[in-house]
Amino acid sequence: MSEYGGYEEGVGVHYQGVAHGLARWDTVSDDVHTLWAEKVERIRALHALEPWGRDTAGSAFYAAYMNGGGPEKMIEYGDGIVKTVTEAGPKVRNNIGTTRATDDRERAAMNRLVEEV
């Protein structure tokens, strides 16, 4: 049996390393989520001020700025990225839990088989 918990060479999961990595992922993804929310709030507050003005140049700027969805489209894409980042930790944690449970069942089955032989 390898140090990673599996029986086949080259295949295995270092569970302690994964746990450490996931703890760090949780911290970083929480920070990313918080920072993103703050920046989106700031963008929307600045937009509410309409700094481009209402004159001809301001209207032209606004039309170009909002072309293709403008900042709201960027915010929508950013929300999706942040969601993917924050959901990755729990998904990996679930997959690792399933893998570990499978490893444990297979290890127990192999131990029973060895005892019978």
Side-chain angles (χ1 to χ4, degrees):
M1 182 164 65
S2 78
E3 66 179 295
Y4 302 110
Y7 284 94
E8 296 180 18
E9 282 189 41
V11 176
V13 176
H14 191 274
Y15 294 106
Q16 185 178 5
V18 170
H20 176 72
L22 284 171
R24 292 184 68 183
W25 185 274
D26 290 342
T27 299
V28 171
S29 66
D30 287 346
D31 290 348
V32 166
H33 183 268
T34 299
L35 183 62
W36 177 249
E38 289 170 0
K39 298 306 177 187
V40 167
E41 184 178 323
R42 177 78 172 133
I43 290 168
R44 289 190 170 137
L46 290 170
H47 283 171
L49 298 174
E50 298 182 8
W52 43 82
R54 296 183 183 271
D55 61 1
T56 304
S59 295
F61 172 84
Y62 182 78
Y65 184 55
M66 294 300 178
N67 186 31
E72 286 302 318
K73 194 61 156 176
M74 184 267 313
I75 290 169
E76 179 185 327
Y77 288 148
D79 285 345
I81 292 167
V82 170
K83 181 180 180 192
T84 297
V85 168
T86 57
E87 289 178 349
K91 286 179 180 179
V92 170
R93 190 172 279 108
N94 181 61
N95 291 339
I96 291 300
T98 301
T99 300
R100 188 168 206 169
T102 300
D103 279 353
D104 291 345
R105 281 193 308 275
E106 291 302 313
R107 185 179 306 105
M110 288 299 289
N111 288 339
R112 283 191 304 275
L113 187 62
V114 168
E115 288 173 7
E116 290 176 11
V117 173

